[in-house]
Amino acid sequence: LGPYQDGQATERDVAARIRTLLGDQPEALGRLDVVERHAGRRRDEIAQPTIDARNRTGAAAIQLPVVAQGKQVFDGVRGDVAALERTVQDARTAARAALDRARDLRNIVFAVIVVVFALGLIGITVLLRIAVLRPLQRLGGVARDVAGGNFDRELPRSGPRDLVALADDLDDMRRQIADALAHSAE
């Protein structure tokens, strides 16, 4: 009876572990209840009475019809276990499909983030070129002309506020130099 009793302890442990793992699967838990009920019925109606009869009267108490009935009941338990396995497999397949969908969604979101980030960098680069670099290049070109002696050239006042202030300062210096040159020529 040692293996039989060990099997009962293992059955309880496995059932508790399955309940923990299937906590959010009511259909699978219902199938586990059916398996436990039928296994308990087999123990109560077949196994335990057979064990009790053998303990009272010896080996001759085990009768073939009782064994056949026990096999029939146990085959029902096997069917219940197979149905539980199918239910668990279906739940596993559904969970894997949900995980795959979540992974695909995550990949799409990351791809969109990368594209938006790249477009943002491109936008910042274009904006920087238009708003800062072009006005700075124009101001630099005019400043070189003025430095080369063309004091009649107006400095452009476009772009960021700092460039406009710089153009104002350079224009003031240009006027002062032009005025000084005009007075020295008189």
Side-chain angles (χ1 to χ4, degrees), residues 102-125:
R103 186 179 18 249
D104 292 344
L105 179 62
R106 180 207 60 199
N107 291 344
I108 289 169
V109 167
F110 282 153
V112 167
I113 288 170
V114 168
V115 167
V116 167
F117 184 71
L119 289 175
L121 285 177
I122 290 169
I124 288 171
T125 302

Side-chain angles (χ1 to χ4, degrees), residues 21-38:
L21 294 172
L22 297 177
D24 62 342
Q25 299 292 324
E27 183 180 355
L29 289 172
R31 294 227 182 252
L32 179 60
D33 290 340
V34 169
V35 168
E36 287 181 315
R37 263 196 318 276
H38 287 161

